[in-house]
Amino acid sequence: MKVSIVVPVYNVAPYIAECIQSVMHQSWQGALECIFVDDCGTDDSMAVVEKELQEYQGAIDFRILHHERNRGLSAARNTGLEAVTGDYVYFLDSDDEITPNCIELLAKPLEKEAFDLVVGDYRIVGSEMSKPPLLLQDGSSLYGKAVLHAYRKSEWYMLSVNKLYRVGFLKSNSLHFYEGIIHEDELWSFQIACLAQSLSVVGHETYIYKVRAGSITVKKNHKYRCDCINVILSEMDKSAKQYHLQNDKDVYNLLQNFRMIMMYSVYSEAPSLFKEFYLKQSQIATISWKDCFMRDGLDIRKQLRDLHILMPFSLALPYLKLLFCFL
C-alpha cells in the first residue's frame, strides 16, 4: 500500500521546515510520497522547501507542483489530489506537524481492510481554543449510515486534515474541495460523511495543529465569511439532493444545526449583515411545514427552533432573538 501526503504551501516560511521534518521522520516503512503545492506566496517558503529537500537522502518520494498564481488552499489541495499516485491520501497543512508515528498508526487498520476513511486524534498548540474531540473508541469501526450518524453526533471532527482517505473512494465520487471559499472543510467533511461507507478510528494523537496570528482561522472578514457560508450551505443542500439524502434525519440536522450556528455567529459578530444573510438562507433552505414536524423522530425542540425559516423576516427576527438567548 502506498500513502500520499499533500501539503499546500503559502507564506509559511517560519513554519514549513518543521512541517517537512515531521514528514521526513516518519516511522512508516511502506511506500510514501509527499507532494508540496506552491500556491505562489510572497515570502521565501518555497526556498525553504527546496533547501530541505536537497539535503534529504531517505526513501520518501518528495515532489513539488507549482501554481501559476495564488489560487487558495482548496485549489492547492485539489492540485495535489489530482497528482497523487498512492492508494490513500493525507492532507497536511504546511504550518502544522505530524507525529513521527502518524502514518504508521493510521495505516495499521488498513492491513486488514480497505476502509474509505481512517481518522486519528490530534492536539492544538499555540491557543487555548477548545478542541473538537474524537469521541469514538480507538480501534472501532463504523459502516454504512453509522458513519454519517456519528458525524452528526460530533463523534468525529470536521477538519479535513489528519485523516487517510481512500483515493478510489474520492475519485469514484468526484470529491474535491470547493475553491474560492473559507471554511471549506465544513462542506468537504459533510460530503465525506454522507458518502463514506466505512471508517476506522485511531485514538492516538497523530497531528499537531498550530494556531498562529495571521492564519486563515484567525482572520475575519465578515462579509466574505457570510458569502462563503451561503455557498457552503447551498452546496450542502445540493449534495443532499444529489445523494438522495434530503430526507435523512442526520443530514437534515447537520444542515439546520450548522445554519443556526452561523446565524447566531453573524447576528453576534456582524449584526449589520444579519438581515441580508438571513434572507439568503431562507431562499437556500427548502423547508416546508411538514419538514419541520416530521423529521428527526419528532424532536419537538428542534422542530420549533426551525420554524423561523418559514416566517417573514419581521416575525423571524424576534423569534430568533429569543432562540439565541438559549445558545
Side-chain angles (χ1 to χ4, degrees):
M1 185 186 73
K2 184 175 184 179
V3 174
S4 302
I5 300 176
V6 172
V7 186
V9 180
Y10 178 78
N11 288 356
V12 286
Y15 314 97
I16 186 65
E18 292 179 342
C19 176
I20 296 170
Q21 288 294 323
S22 74
V23 175
M24 291 179 173
H25 293 154
Q26 287 301 294
S27 59
W28 164 251
Q29 296 300 305
L32 182 62
E33 73 174 354
C34 182
I35 300 173
F36 295 95
V37 182
D38 172 16
D39 198 31
C40 303
T42 56
D43 68 1
D44 61 347
S45 295
M46 292 311 302
V48 176
V49 173
E50 291 170 359
K51 179 178 182 297
E52 291 288 332
L53 298 191
Q54 286 173 359
E55 298 173 357
Y56 177 70
Q57 298 181 349
I60 301 173
D61 178 18
F62 285 101
R63 286 190 283 152
I64 299 175
L65 303 178
H66 298 277
H67 281 173
E68 294 182 356
R69 57 181 176 81
N70 174 244
R71 293 170 54 195
L73 177 61
S74 290
R77 286 174 174 167
N78 289 337
T79 295
L81 180 58
E82 291 170 3
V84 300
T85 61
D87 304 290
Y88 282 82
V89 63
Y90 180 94
F91 296 106
L92 167 61
D93 287 348
S94 51
D95 51 355
D96 294 334
E97 299 176 42
I98 53 178
T99 64
N101 58 356
C102 171
I103 302 301
E104 180 182 4
L105 287 175
L106 294 179
K108 187 70 175 176
L110 302 173
E111 294 176 0
K112 298 181 179 180
E113 184 175 347
F115 290 94
D116 288 341
L117 182 66
V118 182
V119 180
D121 206 349
Y122 68 103
R123 67 177 179 268
I124 294 177
V125 299
S127 172
E128 297 299 320
M129 65 185 289
S130 60
K131 166 183 170 292
L134 177 63
L135 299 178
L136 298 170
Q137 185 177 0
D138 177 44
S140 61
S141 303
L142 301 177
Y143 298 93
K145 289 293 186 68
V147 177
L148 174 61
H149 187 61
Y151 183 69
R152 199 267 283 186
K153 295 195 298 181
S154 300
E155 293 181 343
W156 57 280
Y157 51 85
M158 172 269 301
L159 300 173
S160 62
V161 297
N162 201 35
K163 299 180 174 88
L164 281 182
Y165 303 89
R166 187 168 63 83
V167 174
F169 157 70
L170 298 180
K171 292 189 175 181
S172 65
N173 289 288
S174 301
L175 288 169
H176 60 275
F177 290 89
Y178 195 100
E179 299 184 13
I181 60 172
I182 57 174
H183 301 300
E184 63 283 325
D185 284 2
E186 293 277 2
L187 176 57
W188 167 266
S189 293
F190 172 80
Q191 293 171 326
I192 293 291
C194 287
L195 292 171
Q197 294 301 301
S198 58
L199 177 151
S200 182
V201 181
V202 174
H204 300 276
E205 292 180 349
T206 52
Y207 194 94
I208 304 170
Y209 183 95
K210 299 178 180 178
V211 179
R212 59 185 176 87
S215 68
I216 294 176
T217 53
V218 173
K219 293 178 180 178
K220 279 197 177 178
N221 178 327
H222 293 297
K223 180 63 170 67
Y224 177 53
R225 183 166 176 256
C226 286
D227 292 342
C228 290
I229 296 303
N230 282 331
V231 168
I232 290 168
L233 280 161
S234 178
E235 289 299 314
M236 283 181 172
D237 187 67
K238 290 178 185 176
S239 294
K241 293 174 182 175
Q242 178 185 347
Y243 308 151
H244 306 291
L245 292 171
Q246 66 267 35
N247 293 318
D248 183 273
K249 64 180 182 180
D250 288 322
V251 168
Y252 176 79
N253 273 274
L254 281 166
L255 285 167
Q256 288 303 100
N257 290 346
F258 182 49
R259 180 173 284 116
M260 180 59 71
I261 290 169
M262 290 298 101
M263 284 183 178
Y264 177 69
S265 176
V266 174
Y267 178 80
S268 302
E269 299 174 17
S272 63
L273 300 175
F274 181 73
K275 182 176 181 179
E276 177 185 354
F277 180 76
Y278 180 85
L279 293 176
K280 180 63 176 178
Q281 284 306 310
S282 65
Q283 294 173 1
I284 294 172
T286 53
I287 301 171
S288 68
W289 288 98
K290 181 180 178 181
D291 291 333
C292 282
F293 286 104
M294 294 303 294
R295 286 181 176 151
D296 195 36
L298 291 175
D299 185 335
I300 297 299
R301 292 172 301 174
K302 289 186 178 179
Q303 317 310 339
L304 290 175
R305 180 199 67 182
D306 297 338
L307 286 177
H308 66 86
I309 208 72
L310 300 169
M311 302 176 183
F313 182 74
S314 59
L315 296 178
L317 183 58
Y319 191 82
L320 283 166
K321 287 181 177 179
L322 179 61
L323 292 176
F324 289 158
C325 293
F326 299 97
L327 292 181

